Amino acid sequence: MTLHIRTPLIESRPLSLAADCTVWLKLEALQPCGSFKLRGVAHACEFHHARGAKRFVSSSGGNAGLAVAYVGRKLGVPVTVVVPETTTVRAQELLRLEHAEVIVHGQSWQEANALALSLMGDDAAFIHPFDDPLLWEGHASLVDEVAEAGIKPDAVVLSVGGGGLLSGVVQGLQRNGWADVPILAVETHGAASLHAAIEAGELVTLERLDTIATTLGAKQVAEHAFRCTQQHPVQSLLVSDRQALEACERFLLDHRLLVEPACAAALAVAYEASALASYRNVLVVVCGGATATLAQIQAWRAALEA
Ligand SMILES: *Cc1c(COP(=O)(O)O)cnc(C)c1O
């Protein structure tokens, strides 16, 4: 029994028409806690649980924290999530629905994370949102499922925050003998830490983040994610907040699924007629995101118009 589900893989008619190639969607938005994070987080938590961890600690107010909270409830392990004051009320609510202890502390993630680390003790396991080989190994299972379905894409489109999903998909492609399948790694302009690292040829720490896709907001990607771009064909693409927001709205209309702008950044590439022109069969990882609400989408839309 796994804690994540085997998600549907569907051919998208609207996206295929927009992109002028066949677009397959891996619907990670349908994971019980709303994102692909469950794959890696469940793998990491089960690993630590089997070695005697009696508590899980996270400092993510987003989908990683939610996944830890979900897994903790399922395994009967208490979870503490320390989040900064900037975390939305909605995200805090979702964490409490999973019966996690939520501690609001500090103005930035750095401060929340420092407190989380100080709460650790011997019997607790800290679950990182993106920088841990256990996570990548778990995320890789999404590619195994595509391979088992017998569909080999000629490109994979996915969003990049800290690069955990990218690292996992690279691992999945390689272990299925698909090292030749390129990845289109998408960020928004205001959170382009992978893009900056590729340009510079080394890891770069962004001075600030400025995007509605807050889930993509890692000032620096994991070292391993950057290494992946040197060992696997990875093309870095950037979209604007406007494109991500419009992709959110279009995807809701086309597939009746509400995803975060972080996920819609990848969808925006598929909705862009020219971006996928040289491919025939493209897999888009619909990574999901549970913190999006219709009211928030409408507020962003209003702000954009103003
Ligand atoms: C975590 C997350 C991302 C980014 O994943 P990384 O592993 O940090 O690159 C993108 N979209 C959603 C919905 C996420 O939850």
Side-chain angles (χ1 to χ4, degrees):
M1 231 282 289
T2 59
L3 291 167
H4 70 265
I5 66 161
R6 174 175 281 266
T7 53
L9 176 66
I10 65 166
E11 186 185 331
S12 168
R13 188 63 185 150
L15 275 152
S16 297
L17 289 172
D20 201 19
C21 65
T22 303
V23 173
W24 294 90
L25 303 177
K26 187 64 173 154
L27 293 177
E28 292 303 297
L30 299 181
Q31 290 292 352
C33 60
S35 81
F36 75 95
K37 290 277 186 344
L38 184 54
R39 293 181 185 269
V41 165
H43 188 63
C45 288
E46 284 178 317
F47 176 92
H48 294 297
H49 185 50
R51 281 158 188 74
K54 303 245 168 342
R55 207 156 52 87
F56 300 139
V57 177
S58 166
S59 56
S60 158
N63 297 304
L66 276 172
V68 178
Y70 176 86
V71 170
R73 182 171 61 79
K74 285 291 180 184
L75 295 178
V77 174
V79 173
T80 303
V81 184
V82 187
V83 298
E85 289 152 12
T86 48
T87 306
T88 61
V89 171
R90 171 71 181 158
Q92 293 180 35
E93 238 172 53
L94 290 170
L95 287 166
R96 291 195 179 99
L97 286 181
E98 294 292 357
H99 290 170
E101 177 193 14
V102 181
I103 300 175
V104 181
H105 175 81
Q107 286 175 5
S108 70
W109 174 79
Q110 278 77 8
E111 291 164 51
N113 189 54
L115 179 66
L117 292 175
S118 77
L119 297 176
M120 286 295 296
D122 288 346
D123 57 352
F126 182 75
I127 310 296
H128 197 279
F130 58 81
D131 196 0
D132 179 347
L134 290 169
L135 294 175
W136 312 328
E137 172 147 18
H139 295 339
S141 62
L142 86 84
V143 183
D144 298 338
E145 290 172 18
V146 177
E148 281 158 23
I151 290 158
K152 182 180 178 183
D154 52 15
V156 180
V157 183
L158 52 76
S159 306
V160 174
L165 177 60
L166 171 66
S167 300
V169 168
V170 167
Q171 184 169 331
L173 290 172
Q174 301 206 341
R175 80 186 180 196
N176 283 285
W178 289 352
D180 59 322
V181 177
I183 294 175
L184 310 186
V186 189
E187 296 168 292
T188 53
H189 288 285
S193 45
L194 180 70
H195 190 80
I198 292 173
E199 295 262 282
E202 62 183 6
L203 284 177
V204 170
T205 305
L206 302 179
E207 266 174 36
R208 56 189 214 103
L209 299 164
D210 179 15
T211 179
I212 61 170
T214 50
T215 299
L216 302 185
K219 285 188 176 169
Q220 183 179 302
V221 292
E223 165 95 34
H224 182 79
F226 175 56
R227 294 280 160 251
C228 282
T229 67
Q230 299 173 321
Q231 288 153 10
H232 189 94
V234 176
Q235 188 191 346
S236 163
L237 297 175
L238 299 180
V239 300
S240 65
D241 276 9
R242 172 184 289 271
Q243 287 173 300
L245 182 60
E246 283 174 357
C248 254
E249 295 168 329
R250 271 180 87 172
F251 195 66
L252 181 58
L253 196 63
D254 286 342
H255 284 283
R256 304 156 307 279
L257 280 172
L258 181 59
V259 297
E260 290 182 12
C263 169
L267 297 170
V269 166
Y271 277 125
E272 202 64 37
S274 58
L276 303 179
S278 55
Y279 301 108
R280 292 175 52 204
N281 255 310
V282 174
L283 175 71
V284 179
V285 181
V286 183
C287 56
T291 69
T293 63
L294 194 53
Q296 177 75 81
I297 303 260
Q298 286 162 344
W300 280 320
R301 165 58 55 191
L304 203 65
E305 306 292 340

